Amino acid sequence: YRIKVISFILSLMLVSLIAITVYMNDQSKHDGYVIHIAGKERMLTQKMAKEIFLNLYAKNSDFETFKTAKNEFLTNLRSLQIGTEDGKITPPPTTEIAEKLESIGTLSDQFFTLAETVKVKIELGTIPQQSEIQELYRINNALLDQIDIAVQSYSMASEEKINRLQWIQYAGAFATLIVVIGSVLLSRQIDE
């Protein structure tokens, strides 16, 4: 009877450890993808600012690249804030990240409002005020800083989750070792 119980417990523990390992791998892929999207927001922010400033000095303005980057930025930000239907991106794992994304949303609204003002002036052939250009630059840098903090927060949350799962794995491995030792001792008793 005891051998059956030990065999069952050992089997259960091994299956659990395998499941935890598979889950950890899946979470690592998921977290890596989310961190990639958050990092891409930084690149898109730089790209949008670059397009505005390039058009400031261009003979013929073309804001298509700006519009494309803006749409991708807003789509990604929305996905990071609420998740996606396919589950590739889940809602923020911590309140800190949710608040940071909210702050990024507010700053990006300011950036897009001012960028639209500057864009319209460029398209009309007038030169935007120096104060508008400086404010656009300032907001862009603040946006970049907030996105950097969000990416760092995502990375830290992912590391903490993986560390917790690793400790569960270690505890499971230790418990499995104890069960194996117990089964060896039981086998010796039976032999004697």
Side-chain angles (χ1 to χ4, degrees):
Y1 172 75
R2 285 187 282 178
I3 291 177
K4 288 181 181 178
V5 170
I6 288 177
S7 295
F8 175 75
I9 291 172
L10 190 56
S11 299
L12 188 64
M13 293 174 99
L14 291 174
V15 168
S16 297
L17 286 174
I18 291 168
I20 289 170
T21 302
V22 169
Y23 178 75
M24 278 179 59
N25 290 338
D26 186 54
Q27 285 301 298
S28 291
K29 287 179 190 173
H30 171 267
D31 291 349
Y33 179 73
V34 171
I35 291 168
H36 167 74
I37 295 299
K40 194 172 187 182
E41 290 292 87
R42 186 180 202 290
M43 182 273 298
L44 289 168
T45 301
Q46 291 173 316
K47 187 174 190 171
M48 290 182 294
K50 180 191 92 170
E51 288 301 316
I52 290 287
F53 293 124
L54 281 177
N55 278 297
L56 187 60
Y57 300 107
K59 289 183 181 180
N60 297 319
S61 60
D62 179 12
F63 288 96
E64 282 308 309
T65 305
F66 172 82
K67 288 177 189 173
T68 303
K70 176 184 174 182
N71 290 338
E72 187 176 355
F73 177 90
L74 291 172
T75 300
N76 289 347
L77 181 59
R78 186 78 176 142
S79 296
L80 290 170
Q81 287 174 327
I82 62 170
T84 55
E85 287 182 22
D86 62 7
K88 284 187 176 181
I89 300 176
T90 52
T94 66
T95 343
E96 175 194 352
I97 294 173
E99 290 169 357
K100 191 56 59 190
L101 291 173
E102 190 66 35
S103 171
I104 290 168
T106 302
L107 273 172
S108 66
D109 288 345
Q110 293 172 15
F111 176 81
F112 291 130
T113 300
L114 189 54
E116 188 61 31
T117 301
V118 170
K119 177 179 156 291
V120 167
K121 286 185 177 182
I122 292 170
E123 289 174 332
L124 292 174
T126 59
I127 298 173
Q129 296 175 4
Q130 189 61 33
S131 60
E132 292 171 323
I133 299 300
Q134 289 174 342
E135 184 65 7
L136 192 64
Y137 179 77
R138 185 195 68 74
I139 293 172
N140 181 259
N141 281 336
L143 191 55
L144 289 171
D145 289 342
Q146 294 300 309
I147 292 171
D148 278 345
I149 293 169
V151 171
Q152 289 171 2
S153 297
Y154 268 114
S155 295
M156 287 174 23
S158 176
E159 285 177 29
E160 287 172 10
K161 183 179 7 175
I162 295 300
N163 286 339
R164 280 192 307 270
L165 290 170
Q166 282 178 335
W167 279 109
I168 292 170
Q169 273 186 318
Y170 295 148
F174 182 72
T176 302
L177 180 63
I178 293 202
V179 171
V180 167
I181 291 170
S183 67
V184 168
L185 292 175
L186 183 61
S187 294
R188 277 192 179 166
Q189 279 180 348
I190 291 171
D191 285 345
E192 289 173 3

